[in-house]
Amino acid sequence: MSPMAAEVVRLLTVRGETLAVAESLTGGLVAAEITAVPGASKAFRGSVTAYATELKHELLGVDVTLLAERGAVDAQVAAQMAAGVRKALGADWGIATTGVAGPEPQDGQPVGTVYVAVDGPFAAPSGTLRDGKVVPLRLNGDRAEIRMESVRSVLALLLRELAGEQTGNERAQDTEQNGGFDVCSPE
């Protein structure tokens, strides 16, 4: 169990919110990290491992024209995967991974090209919702290292968003639950 996954589950539970995961290159590793945390069922709705490109469209609603024109390894695809799994599984938050773990390039993208995305109930300054966030990554290492760094990166992205969205009342609850100490999430 990773400390980041434990913090994700803790923050979601405190907030009374849920998470859904869409994975491609990580093949279920993100969901495995989340579900390794005791009590994850309070916050984790489920996951979709859409490894085949057509499943990204069929199960997650990724635009078929986008997939045809750019392939599965694309920032917009990652964003649509996160939004799609959030909607499909009825979660407050959706996260996604797509990329090339190797050993060969895919869709014209070199090994180590990864996109991680988060979609959630973001509040823009005007009070309107804004789009999800995507982070492009260029990772080094072998297949296993690229996949594990992708897991770490998508959890870190979600943690940053959860910590940024946390209200003062939730921070007070966290402080009270942690014996008077304000716990900061890792950046």
Side-chain angles (χ1 to χ4, degrees):
M1 172 180 74
S2 81
M4 275 196 289
E7 183 67 358
V8 163
V9 169
R10 185 189 71 76
L11 284 173
L12 288 168
T13 301
V14 164
R15 295 163 64 110
E17 294 178 339
T18 56
L19 173 66
V21 177
E23 300 185 67
S24 186
L25 85 148
T26 51
L29 293 173
V30 176
E33 283 291 313
I34 297 290
T35 58
V37 177
S41 61
K42 293 175 187 166
F44 186 65
R45 295 277 303 155
S47 65
V48 173
T49 301
Y51 209 66
T53 299
E54 69 271 10
L55 293 180
K56 290 170 181 62
H57 169 69
E58 293 168 10
L59 299 176
L60 301 171
V62 176
D63 183 87
V64 71
T65 304
L66 174 67
L67 289 167
E69 290 176 358
R70 297 193 195 165
V73 182
D74 180 77
Q76 225 178 326
V77 170
Q80 289 185 17
M81 287 173 65
V85 79
R86 178 182 175 212
K87 180 180 177 185
L89 301 186
D92 298 298
W93 294 88
I95 57 175
T97 62
T98 188
V100 185
E104 301 295 323
Q106 177 187 336
D107 295 335
Q109 300 291 337
V111 172
T113 302
V114 175
Y115 296 93
V116 296
V118 61
D119 188 76
F122 304 110
S126 66
T128 60
L129 294 181
R130 58 184 165 86
D131 293 332
K133 293 191 175 185
V134 179
V135 174
L137 304 169
R138 296 290 181 259
L139 303 176
N140 295 314
D142 63 21
R143 182 175 174 80
E145 291 168 328
I146 289 168
R147 293 174 77 215
M148 288 312 298
E149 183 58 25
S150 299
V151 171
R152 190 204 67 72
S153 295
V154 78
L155 291 175
L157 175 61
L158 178 58
L159 268 178
R160 282 193 300 274
E161 294 305 315
L162 287 171
E165 294 280 325
Q166 194 175 29
T167 67
N169 185 44
E170 289 164 341
R171 284 190 197 101
Q173 288 174 4
D174 284 351
T175 302
E176 184 178 317
Q177 289 173 359
N178 288 293
F181 295 98
D182 189 14
V183 179
C184 296
S185 62
E187 293 274 339

